[in-house]
């Protein structure tokens, strides 16, 4: 049965609360708070609306998958989420859930949820990503693949997902009747668990193994998930044995994927491993020039130079900064100047001068408390380990841009609620426990210095 209007409304309020916790107050207030639930629909589709096309495009690009998963988790009958503009009420491209019935696989497969903007023509090539781009183009070519799987790795926000979407577009352009399936590792895990609970793993297996091109994004998210890894291993085994195409991405090379079974890493190592390095200044500048076509604002060259020189770590962060400046100018009616950009991006520009990683935090905290780094990600709950672990989580939330779920995963696969508890606990203890406060102050000075 489909959910009633009241059930949908209650689900939406819970999802909003979850988004605010994970995204943080600033991002939530800027992009997600304006999202409104639109009445109507057939009971299997959710309609959401924003006040401008620009904001709708941003939310669709960054949160469409997440919103669909959140609604399906609370209301299994939901099959699609559309993100519209409140002014026109015209529906956007709908992100549709894959069918989960046990019907036989049909020869012509539904199109995957690929972003039309993420194609090869819009990917800026440079020495730092040239090998990965050429490998991606080669895998998308028709005929017998020269290699498979293709494993692409880099730190977050450097273009892995863009290349995977581009592979899907190019492959379908050459073979329109092919079956292409793209999903995150989290989605793989979510769908597999749902199939197990519904006692319908057969249709899940059929759907994945029928793909001519299977792409799994962010493999690191299944680290430590034994049952999911078991199914993942058999899936990639059958895909490879059938001579089909497989693309995997992760935030590190296969050998550094702690918590992923050796047999999986061995199978992935059979193909081609390509990395994407951090962009240099010329590439960052070229990316901004390309991105200008999507920005409904006049951005001076000096502002582009500022962004390219100060935001150095992530292409996603770089593009996000440009989007934010353009959005603020649109919402306030002001022109974009250097002073306007600095005022709008003040904290982001300051934060980009010294980028702290969770690995650095874990290393420094373990040294400070004379622990092994592995203790912070272990299951040990002794106070001598638990308190430093909470301090490390607190510092990760304060000094990095990682989301709560990402921080939890870096600390032994813990839930985001554990991170929230740790942050609140250390905040409280800093007011009442001098030793905790002193330790945090010392660590902050070393990490921010």
């Amino acid at each position: 049965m489909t959910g009633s209007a009241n059930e949908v409304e209650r689900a939406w309020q819970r999802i909003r609360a979850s988004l605010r916790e994970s995204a943080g107050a600033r991002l939530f207030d800027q992009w997600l708070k304006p999202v409104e639930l639109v009445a109507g629909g057939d009971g299997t589709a959710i309609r959401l609306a924003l006040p401008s096309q620009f904001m709708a495009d941003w939310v669709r690009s960054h949160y469409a998958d997440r919103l669909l998963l959140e609604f399906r988790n609370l209301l299994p009958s939901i099959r699609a989420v559309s993100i519209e503009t409140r002014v026109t009420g015209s529906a956007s491209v709908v992100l549709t859930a894959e069918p989960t019935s046990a019907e036989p696989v049909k020869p012509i497969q539904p199109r995957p949820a690929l972003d039309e903007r993420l194609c090869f023509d819009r990917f800026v090539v440079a020495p730092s990503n040239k090998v990965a781009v050429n490998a991606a183009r080669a895998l998308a070519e028709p005929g017998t693949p020269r290699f498979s799987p293709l494993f692409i790795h880099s730190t977050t926000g450097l273009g892995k997902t863009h290349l995977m979407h581009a592979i899907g577009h190019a492959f379908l352009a050459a073979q329109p009747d092919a079956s292409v399936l793209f999903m995150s590792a989290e989605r793989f895990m979510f769908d597999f668990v749902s199939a197990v609970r519904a006692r319908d793993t057969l249709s899940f297996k059929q759907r994945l193994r029928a793909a001519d091109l299977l792409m799994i994004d962010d493999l690191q998210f299944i680290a430590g998930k034994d049952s999911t890894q078991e199914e993942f291993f058999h899936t990639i085994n059958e895909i490879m044995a059938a001579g089909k195409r497989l693309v995997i991405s992760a935030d590190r090379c296969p050998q550094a994927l702690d918590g992923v079974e050796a047999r999986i890493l061995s199978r992935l190592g059979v193909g081609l491993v390509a990395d994407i390095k951090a962009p240099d200044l010329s590439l960052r500048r070229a990316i901004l020039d390309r991105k200008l076509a999507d920005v409904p604002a006049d951005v001076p060259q000096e502002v582009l130079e500022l962004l390219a020189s100060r935001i150095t770590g992530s292409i996603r962060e770089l593009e996000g900064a440009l989007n934010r400046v353009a959005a603020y100018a649109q919402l306030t009616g002001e022109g974009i100047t250097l002073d306007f950009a600095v005022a709008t991006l003040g904290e982001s520009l300051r934060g980009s001068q010294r980028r702290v990683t969770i690995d650095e935090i874990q290393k420094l905290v373990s040294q400070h408390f004379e622990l092994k780094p592995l203790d912070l990600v272990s299951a040990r709950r002794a106070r001598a380990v638990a308190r430093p672990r909470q301090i490390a989580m607190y510092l990760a939330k304060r000094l990095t841009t990682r989301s709560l779920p990402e921080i939890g995963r870096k600390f032994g696969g813990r839930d985001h609620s554990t991170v929230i508890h740790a942050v609140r606990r250390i905040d409280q203890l800093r007011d009442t426990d001098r030793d905790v406060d002193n330790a945090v102050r010392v660590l902050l000075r070393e990490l921010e210095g």
Side-chain angles (χ1 to χ4, degrees):
M1 286 182 64
T2 58
S4 67
N6 288 338
E7 289 176 330
V8 172
E9 178 62 34
R10 284 195 297 270
W12 175 231
Q13 293 308 318
R14 288 178 61 183
I15 291 168
R16 281 174 63 88
S18 173
L19 290 173
R20 195 179 195 285
E21 286 282 4
S22 61
R26 174 165 297 183
L27 188 149
F28 178 84
D29 289 344
Q30 179 181 344
W31 296 105
L32 300 172
K33 188 176 181 180
V35 180
E36 292 182 356
L37 182 66
V38 180
D42 62 1
T44 64
I46 298 295
R47 297 173 58 204
L48 302 173
L50 287 112
S52 72
Q53 187 63 48
F54 184 68
M55 297 182 75
D57 288 342
W58 190 93
V59 172
R60 187 182 308 117
S61 174
H62 292 78
Y63 278 89
D65 277 318
R66 167 73 180 274
L67 288 166
L68 179 59
L69 289 175
E70 292 275 10
F71 271 108
R72 289 196 64 189
N73 188 42
L74 295 174
L75 300 171
S77 62
I78 298 302
R79 289 292 175 267
V81 171
S82 68
I83 299 170
E84 311 169 359
T85 54
R86 195 178 305 143
V87 175
T88 63
S90 59
S92 69
V93 176
V94 177
L95 175 69
T96 306
E98 298 289 341
T100 56
S101 66
E103 296 176 359
V105 177
K106 298 178 181 179
I108 299 178
Q109 299 295 321
R111 288 277 177 164
L114 298 175
D115 190 326
E116 294 296 332
R117 296 166 296 179
L118 302 182
C119 57
F120 284 124
D121 289 343
R122 292 175 61 87
F123 194 94
V124 183
V125 182
S128 60
N129 59 35
K130 188 173 183 179
V131 172
V133 174
N134 288 342
R137 287 185 179 276
L139 191 78
E141 292 175 352
T144 303
R146 284 184 267 170
F147 54 85
S148 183
L150 170 61
F151 188 99
I152 305 173
H153 67 93
S154 74
T155 56
T156 184
L158 296 188
K160 299 186 299 294
T161 302
H162 187 146
L163 280 183
M164 297 177 84
H165 281 256
I167 291 170
H169 287 306
F171 186 66
L172 285 171
Q175 303 183 67
D177 293 336
S179 169
V180 174
L181 189 56
F182 170 79
M183 61 170 58
S184 67
E186 280 188 310
R187 174 69 180 272
F188 180 97
M189 181 170 61
F190 175 85
D191 284 0
F192 174 63
V193 171
S194 297
V196 170
R197 289 175 177 169
R199 299 181 180 180
D200 187 22
T201 57
L202 179 61
S203 62
F204 175 82
K205 296 174 188 289
Q206 288 177 331
R207 179 163 59 93
L208 268 68
R209 298 171 195 187
D212 298 304
L213 167 62
L214 175 62
M215 298 185 286
I216 305 291
D217 202 9
D218 288 327
L219 180 65
Q220 69 273 6
F221 290 155
I222 68 169
K225 307 297 191 298
D226 293 343
S227 61
T228 300
Q229 289 192 43
E230 178 77 19
E231 180 58 33
F232 181 79
F233 173 75
H234 293 303
T235 297
I236 64 173
N237 244 358
E238 292 203 18
I239 289 287
M240 294 170 65
K244 298 179 178 181
R245 290 165 169 79
L246 176 66
V247 184
I248 306 292
S249 82
D251 64 356
R252 68 208 81 162
C253 65
Q255 295 78 11
L257 282 169
D258 298 330
V260 176
E261 294 179 6
R263 58 178 179 166
I264 293 177
L265 301 181
S266 175
R267 295 298 285 152
L268 296 179
V270 171
L272 177 65
V273 177
D275 71 326
I276 302 176
K277 298 179 178 64
D280 59 16
L281 179 61
S282 62
L283 176 56
R284 296 195 298 272
R285 189 65 176 79
I287 288 168
L288 289 175
D289 287 338
R290 178 68 61 86
K291 183 66 178 175
L292 281 177
D294 301 327
V295 175
D298 182 19
V299 185
Q301 293 298 310
E302 60 182 4
V303 171
L304 298 176
E305 295 291 348
L306 172 73
L307 299 182
S309 62
R310 296 287 291 276
I311 301 177
T312 60
S314 163
I315 293 173
R316 185 178 298 134
E317 185 180 353
L318 182 66
E319 293 179 340
L322 179 61
N323 285 338
R324 184 176 175 187
V325 169
Y328 270 58
Q330 184 183 52
L331 295 171
T332 62
E334 298 183 43
I336 297 176
T337 64
L338 194 60
D339 288 342
F340 179 85
V342 170
T344 302
L345 300 172
E347 292 187 7
S348 298
L349 295 176
R350 286 192 294 272
S352 65
Q353 293 177 311
R354 170 71 174 99
R355 188 166 304 282
V356 179
T357 67
I358 295 179
D359 289 338
E360 289 178 67
I361 292 170
Q362 290 174 337
K363 181 179 179 180
L364 190 61
V365 170
S366 61
Q367 290 174 348
H368 182 89
F369 290 99
E370 299 182 352
L371 299 170
K372 297 177 181 178
L374 287 176
D375 288 332
L376 298 181
V377 301
S378 71
R380 293 180 59 191
R381 302 178 67 178
R383 185 185 183 88
V385 175
R387 188 69 76 224
R389 183 187 296 127
Q390 288 180 326
I391 289 174
M393 290 182 180
Y394 170 86
L395 294 171
K397 177 64 173 69
R398 176 164 175 171
L399 298 179
T400 76
T401 58
R402 294 294 190 99
S403 67
L404 294 172
E406 287 175 322
I407 294 172
R409 283 188 287 269
K410 292 287 284 185
F411 283 86
R414 287 173 164 81
D415 188 78
H416 75 280
S417 61
T418 303
V419 181
I420 295 172
H421 172 74
V423 172
R424 289 174 177 170
R425 184 60 179 151
I426 298 304
D427 262 330
Q428 294 168 354
L429 288 174
R430 291 195 67 184
D431 293 332
T432 59
D433 189 322
R434 182 175 299 177
D435 290 338
V436 170
D437 185 57
N438 286 340
V440 172
R441 288 179 183 276
V442 169
L443 291 164
L444 281 171
R445 279 199 301 271
E446 293 191 52
L447 289 165
E448 294 180 324

